[in-house]
Amino acid sequence: MLGLSGISFLAMATGGAFEFNLTSVEQLSLWSVVVVALLALVYGAVLAVQILRKERGTANMQKVALAIQEGANAYLRRQLTTVAFLVVILAAVIFGTAYSLGTNIAVGRTIAFLIGAVFSAAIGFLGMGLAVRANLRTAAASFKGFNQALSISFRSGVTTGMFTVGLGLLGPAAILLIYEGDAPEVLIGLGFGAALLALLMRVGGGIFTKAADVGADLVGKVEAGIPEDDPRNPAVIADNVGDNVGDCAGMAADLFESYEVTLVGSMILGYAVLKSPIGVLFPLLVMAVGVIASIIGSWFVRTKKQDALGAMNFGFAIAALIAAAAVANLSFYFMGAQMEAFWATAFGLILAAVILLVTQYYTATQFKPVKEIAFSARSGPATTILTGIAVGKESTVVAVVAIALAVMGAVFLSDGEAGKALYYVALAGLGILTTTGMIVSMDNFGPVADNAGGIVEMSRDGNDEAQEVIDKLDAVGNTTKAVTKGLAIASAVIAAISLFGSFIEIAGLKNGIRVDVPQVFVGLLIGAAVPFLFSALTIRAVGRGATAVVEEVRRQFREIKGIMEGTGKPDYASITDICTKTALKELIAPGLLAVLMPVVIGFSLKEAALGGFLAGVIVTGQLLAVYLSTAGGAWDNAKKWIEDGNLGGKGSDIHKAAVIGDTVGDPFKDTSGPALNPLLKVMNLISLLIVPLVVKPELATTGYWVAAAALAIVVGAVLLSKREALPEVEAVPERQPEVAS
C-alpha cells in the first residue's frame, strides 16, 4: 500500500489528511465490493454467451446484419484511433499538473486517467459489439412472438449494464485498495478519463447516427415515399450503423462516465467532509448493493400483455425497492442510527422514479404531449415543430423542480453544515444511479429493437406479425432511451454540484462566489453561453452531414439504374463513408471547446471567475439537455404513432409533416442533448485539475499566455468547423412592371 505518501492539496484545503486505517469489517466490505464487481462482469459474460447461442434467422437477415456490424466496427475503430492522440497529450498534461503533489500521486492520477478512458471505450465497444449481434437474434425471435423478442433485446442491454457497473465499481475500489488516503487525489484522473472519452464518443457517434438518419428520412420517406428501412434507400445501412455507434457505444460510454464520476465525486466529498475511511467506502457499498438489486430486477422484466414498458417499469421498481432496503441497512450499520445517509440516497432513488415517470409522460405514445404533436401535424411541419418545442421546454420546468427538491431534501438533512450538505447531495446523485444496471438495460434495448426492425424489412423475409412485434418494441425503445437520457441528465447535474463543491474547497473560495464582482459575472455569462455554442456546433455538424447524405442518395437514385424497381443495387458504403468522415471531422471543435474553455477562464480571470463559469455551465447545460432530449423523443414517437395507422398513417401529408418534425428532433435527442451530460463533468473535472495552478501567484504571467493560446485554439477550431463554401446563386432576372393594355 502506498498510503499517505506526499502532501495532498485536497487534504490541505479541507484540514489535513486523516489516518486511513480500515477495521476488519471495513476491509471485508471493500473486498466484497471487488467481488460484486467481478460477479457483474461474469454475469454479463454468461448472458452474452446465452444470447449469441440464439437463432440467427435467414441468410438474407444475416447478410444485412453483417453489413451493419462491419460498418459499426470500422467507424468505432477509426474514432478511437483519432482521439487516442488527444488522450496521450492530456495524460502528459495531467502528470504535469499533479507533479507538485508527489510522484506517486502524479503517476497514479495519470494511470487512473488512462484506465478511465480505456474503460469508457471498452464499454462502448462491448455494448455495441453485442448489440450488433443481438439485433439479428431479436429479428429472428420476432417470428416466434413478442416475449421472445423482448427477452433477447432487453437481456442484451442487461449484459452491457453489467459490464458498465462491473468496471465502474472495479476501478475506484482498486484505487482505494492501492492508494488508501491518497485515493481521492487519484480518483479525479479516473473520472476525467471516463468523462472525456464518453464526451468524444457521444459527440462523434451522435453526429454519425443523425446525419445518416436525417438524410435517409428526408430523401426516402419525404421525397421518394418509401418505408424507413427500405433496402432501396442507399442510406439505410448507415442509418442502422448509426444506431449502434451513437445509441449503443456512445450512450453506454455516457452512462458509464455518469456512474463513475458520480461515484468519484461522492468518494472525494466523503474524504473531505467526514475525514474517515467510511466516508470514502460508503458510496462504493451503495453502488455494490445496487448491482445486486439490478440483477434481481432484470429477472422481473416479463409480460403477458405485450406491455414492454410496463414490464421494464416493474423491473426497475423492484430493483429500486431492493436497493433502498439494502442502503437502509448499510446506513444504520456504518453511518449511525440517524439514517441521514439513507434518506439522502433515498431522495435520489425517488428522483429517479419521478424522472422516469415524467419523461414517459412527455415522450410515450399513450400520453397527451405526443398526441398533441401528432395532431398539430395536420396543419403542416411548422406547427409540428412549434408544438414539439413547446413540449420540450415545458418538460424542463418539471425536471428542474424535481432535481431542486431532491437537492434541498439532501441539504435539509445536514443541519446547516455546508460540507455535509454537499456530501448528502452527492449521495442523492448515487441514489439516481444505484440501479444503473437496469438503466443501461432499458437504454440499449431501444437501438437493438430498432435495428431488428431494419433487418426484418431490409431482408424482405418478414411478415406482418413479426413487423408488428418489432414496431411495438421500437416505439417503447424511443421512450426508454428518453428516460435514460433524463436520468443521465439529472445525475449529471447532481454530480456537477458535488464536483463544484470540491472545486470551491480546493480553490479556497470558502466565502462563496460573489456575482457582483465583474470578472465573476463575466465568467458566469460565458459559462452560460458555452452549452449553446456546443449545441450549435453539434447540430450544425449533423446538418452538414445530412446534406451530404441527401445529395449522395439523390445522385444514386438518378444515376444507378433500377434502384427504385429493386433490380439495381445501391452503394451503401459511400453513405457510411460520408457519415464517418463527417463525424470524425466535426467532433474536434466541440471536444476542444469542452477541454480548453475552463483553461481560458481560469488562467485569465482566475479562480472565482472559473467558479462562476462552472455555475453558468451547470444551469444552462441542464435546462438545454432536458429540452433537447425530451422534444426530440416526443417528435419521434409522434411520427411513430401516426405510422401505427392514426391520422392517415404512413405516406399521408400528415405523416410527412411528422417526419420533418422527427428530423429536427433527431440531432436534439441523440446528438446535442445527451452530449451535454459529459460536457458538464468534463469541464468540472478539468477545473479541479487546473485550479491548484490557477491559484499560484507566481504563475500569473505564464497563465495569461496559456489562456491566450487556449483561446486561440478554441476560436480557430470553431471558425474552421463553420467554414463551408456556400453555393453560387443564380441571379433572378428583374421583373418588368406590367402595363395595362
Side-chain angles (χ1 to χ4, degrees), residues 263-304:
L263 182 54
V264 164
S266 303
M267 294 172 71
I268 291 174
L269 281 171
Y271 173 96
V273 174
L274 300 186
K275 296 185 175 65
S276 70
I278 194 58
V280 185
L281 179 60
F282 185 74
L284 283 170
L285 297 175
V286 169
M287 294 310 232
V289 299
V291 172
I292 304 300
S294 294
I295 291 174
I296 297 173
S298 68
W299 295 340
F300 287 86
V301 180
R302 294 181 176 85
T303 178
K304 295 180 179 179

Side-chain angles (χ1 to χ4, degrees), residues 120-137:
S120 195
I123 290 296
F125 253 121
L126 290 169
M128 190 199 72
L130 184 63
V132 294
R133 291 166 174 81
N135 56 12
L136 176 61
R137 276 79 177 172

Side-chain angles (χ1 to χ4, degrees), residues 17 120 125 172 175 184 204 292 303 346 389 544 626 651 654 724:
S120 195
F125 253 121
I175 288 173
I292 304 300
T303 178
I389 289 172
R544 280 202 289 262
V626 174
I654 296 175
E724 183 179 18

Side-chain angles (χ1 to χ4, degrees), residues 123-156:
I123 290 296
F125 253 121
L126 290 169
M128 190 199 72
L130 184 63
V132 294
R133 291 166 174 81
N135 56 12
L136 176 61
R137 276 79 177 172
T138 301
S142 66
F143 292 85
K144 298 181 179 180
F146 185 87
N147 278 312
Q148 289 89 334
L150 171 62
S151 175
I152 293 174
S153 54
F154 180 75
R155 283 181 174 269
S156 70

Side-chain angles (χ1 to χ4, degrees), residues 155-229:
R155 283 181 174 269
S156 70
V158 176
T159 301
T160 306
M162 290 300 104
F163 291 147
T164 299
V165 296
L167 293 178
L169 268 180
L170 192 60
I175 288 173
L176 186 57
L177 281 168
I178 296 169
Y179 281 87
E180 297 183 339
D182 285 338
E185 294 287 1
V186 176
L187 286 168
I188 294 174
L190 184 72
F192 180 43
L196 177 69
L197 255 290
L199 174 69
L200 297 174
M201 292 179 71
R202 179 75 269 185
V203 171
I207 292 171
F208 183 110
T209 182
K210 293 303 109 177
D213 195 359
V214 171
D217 283 354
L218 288 177
V219 183
K221 289 184 179 180
V222 177
E223 293 184 6
I226 58 179
E228 180 169 357
D229 290 309

